[in-house]
Amino acid sequence: MTVVKADHVTKSGAAVLSFTPVPASPIGAALDPENAPTLFKPLKMRGVTLHNRFAVAPMCQYSAFDGHLTDWHFAHLSQYMIRGNALTIVEATSVTPNGRISPEDSGLWQDSQIEPLRRLANFAHSQGQKFGIQLAHAGRKASTASPWQPPRDVGRITAGPEHGGWPDNVWAPSAIPFDHQYPSPKEMTLDDIRTLLQAFKDAARRAVAAGIDVIEIHSAHGYLLTEFLSPTSNKRTDHYGGSFENRTRLLLEVIAGVREVIPETMPLWVRISATGWMEYTGEPSWTIEDTIKLAKLLPAAGVDLLDVSSGGNNAAAKISMHTYYQIDLAGKIRQAIKEAGLDLLIGAVGMITEAEMARSIVQETGSGSGKPAEASNGTVEVEEESGATTQADVVLIGRQLLREPEFPLRVAHKLGVPVVWPKQYMRAGWRREQQL
């Protein structure tokens, strides 16, 4: 490869992977952050600074080959890196082969899986953006067919060996299947648990080698760590089951193991299902009160942000669905953390589709612009607000980005916040008075 020397291009890693005009600030950064709403103010976590509060939520693509990311992942994720998201997080990435949700899921259990991640990390950094990964194990929801692969095409969930699955090697805290269509799991032995803990540490080391900026531990949506937390799926009688302390033991051990092998300067996140939505049964389950109790333990464990989702652990869950059904959970946890005088950031996710909703979730009272008012030119102008409650510190966007990859840039325009665009795209910027 011929390398052209020039001060106006960025170089990624040992090889030049992208020639990009160096932006004065990262794409999506406010030109005047001091007077911008909180949504467009920087956020520092350890040695990492996000230039705004948008993060790309992990989104399974079912497009990996033997756990290796493919060109699809590069195309899918790089589009968000050039459209203003401060942090882009790779989909749930299994730390063991049997921890994948489907045979086509991402993995990080072997060194050959590092390079596709490094390619993405290099590109993100060339654009001034940050790159994260969600480390996971699917537990009793593993060895399921991806949405468009056999045997889903005939209505079956479980992927058998003929379709690359491993239904006879599915792990869970207890031998309780998620549902009748799912594999029957094996109760994990203590040796299995030790293997898992080492696998999380090894995957974290590989993530560091790949140039990852932020690691998130997946303890939500009914996957393995969620299964250990909830008494509906964890019926163990050893020191990993029974009491709250025992059921949270594995997650805290995973956190300790990962924190041990990553730099002190690297932020560590945890995604949680704040409730299993099983309270209606009157039986013991994982509730918002349990999550608050756990959240208060996380700062001392070395966790920097709790990413708040919900549900996924029980097929019989009854979810009280509305636009803010998960945002409200995040707000309750954040308030409890603040009242306890603890330092833990909160991430909010779910149904964040509008500029004002994204702004209001993270807006700090007295910080830049406040309450919005629709202006005659179609943008949103803001007046100072008072008395509002900040519900989170970061918004994680998923499906809305699938619909509108440029969502952060659109939000900035709607809120009247001038932000940095890619230099290659500057000619396409919306006029101040343009309605979208």
Side-chain angles (χ1 to χ4, degrees):
M1 179 185 294
T2 300
V3 177
V4 179
K5 293 184 178 180
D7 293 336
H8 68 284
V9 298
T10 58
K11 298 178 181 180
S12 303
V16 178
L17 299 182
S18 60
F19 279 108
T20 302
V22 178
S25 299
I27 299 164
L31 298 183
D32 182 12
E34 184 176 348
N35 293 306
T38 306
L39 187 61
F40 287 96
K41 289 185 181 296
L43 178 64
K44 191 175 190 308
M45 292 175 286
R46 296 184 185 258
V48 171
T49 298
L50 305 183
H51 61 270
N52 62 37
R53 307 304 180 90
F54 287 96
V56 179
M59 292 180 278
C60 288
Q61 296 296 292
Y62 309 102
S63 300
F65 177 74
D66 190 28
H68 297 75
L69 299 187
T70 62
D71 283 352
W72 173 265
H73 294 93
F74 189 87
H76 166 64
L77 295 171
S78 63
Q79 65 180 324
Y80 307 130
M81 298 170 186
I82 62 173
R83 288 179 170 86
N85 296 280
L87 173 66
T88 299
I89 306 177
V90 179
E91 65 191 71
T93 298
S94 182
V95 299
T96 66
N98 77 336
R100 291 170 291 170
I101 303 166
S102 81
E104 291 76 35
D105 275 27
S106 171
L108 198 50
W109 65 80
Q110 55 186 337
D111 288 350
S112 61
Q113 293 159 341
I114 294 173
E115 192 52 42
L117 282 169
R118 183 182 287 124
R119 181 187 179 205
L120 276 158
N122 286 342
F123 184 76
H125 297 155
S126 77
Q127 307 305 305
Q129 316 296 74
K130 299 298 186 289
F131 188 50
I133 192 168
Q134 184 185 69
L135 299 182
H137 192 290
R140 64 181 182 169
K141 297 174 86 171
S143 193
T144 57
S146 54
W148 54 86
Q149 299 281 6
R152 280 286 182 97
D153 55 356
V154 294
R156 295 198 302 272
I157 297 292
T158 300
E162 69 277 16
H163 297 123
W166 51 97
D168 294 331
N169 189 30
V170 171
W171 287 352
S174 303
I176 305 170
F178 175 72
D179 199 10
H180 70 277
Q181 289 185 296
Y182 284 73
S184 296
K186 299 189 299 185
E187 180 171 314
M188 291 178 72
T189 65
L190 294 181
D191 281 343
D192 292 337
I193 289 174
R194 283 189 284 269
T195 297
L196 178 79
L197 290 170
Q198 186 62 49
F200 266 100
K201 292 173 68 171
D202 292 343
R205 287 194 189 96
R206 294 186 182 102
V208 173
I212 296 292
D213 300 295
V214 175
I215 289 177
E216 177 173 87
I217 295 168
H218 198 356
S219 185
H221 301 166
Y223 300 122
L224 185 62
L225 296 178
T226 321
E227 295 162 19
F228 270 86
L229 292 179
S230 175
T232 64
S233 48
N234 184 349
K235 305 296 184 182
R236 299 176 73 97
T237 57
D238 62 6
H239 62 294
Y240 287 101
S243 67
F244 172 89
E245 290 71 22
N246 285 353
R247 287 182 283 108
T248 57
R249 187 184 306 277
L250 181 57
L251 173 58
L252 293 172
E253 288 180 346
V254 168
I255 291 168
V258 171
R259 188 78 263 174
E260 177 186 330
V261 300
I262 65 176
E264 178 63 27
T265 54
M266 177 179 282
L268 181 60
W269 294 16
V270 170
R271 173 166 276 198
I272 195 81
S273 279
T275 172
W277 297 107
M278 295 293 289
E279 294 89 344
Y280 78 94
T281 66
E283 299 295 324
S285 65
W286 186 262
T287 68
I288 182 66
E289 289 76 22
D290 293 312
T291 296
I292 290 171
K293 186 176 179 180
L294 173 63
K296 291 178 180 179
L297 303 176
L298 297 182
V303 174
D304 301 285
L305 182 143
L306 184 63
D307 174 4
V308 180
S309 188
S310 71
N313 194 43
N314 298 89
K318 291 185 179 180
I319 301 176
S320 177
M321 189 81 71
H322 56 87
T323 303
Y324 282 83
Y325 82 107
Q326 290 186 156
I327 310 304
D328 289 345
L329 295 171
K332 289 178 182 178
I333 297 166
R334 190 179 189 276
Q335 182 178 357
I337 289 295
K338 294 299 180 184
E339 289 175 353
L342 298 171
D343 188 12
L344 179 69
L345 298 171
I346 299 296
V349 64
M351 297 189 179
I352 303 172
T353 61
E354 302 294 337
E356 164 51 21
M357 183 179 182
R359 185 209 66 85
S360 66
I361 289 168
V362 300
Q363 181 63 34
E364 296 176 359
T365 302
S367 177
S369 299
K371 187 176 180 180
E374 190 72 21
S376 60
N377 60 11
T379 63
V380 176
E381 295 180 349
V382 281
E383 304 166 352
E384 194 64 28
E385 78 175 344
S386 60
T389 300
T390 306
Q391 293 172 292
D393 303 281
V394 173
V395 289
L396 292 100
I397 313 296
R399 295 180 191 183
Q400 188 62 20
L401 285 174
L402 297 179
R403 293 183 283 263
E404 293 182 341
E406 75 285 359
F407 184 63
L409 301 178
R410 284 180 173 270
V411 169
H413 181 75
K414 291 288 287 183
L415 297 179
V417 181
V419 298
V420 176
W421 274 56
K423 290 189 176 181
Q424 298 95 323
Y425 288 6
M426 286 177 64
R427 72 188 73 177
W430 299 293
R431 301 184 306 275
R432 176 70 178 89
E433 69 281 1
Q434 187 172 351
Q435 296 188 30
L436 301 184

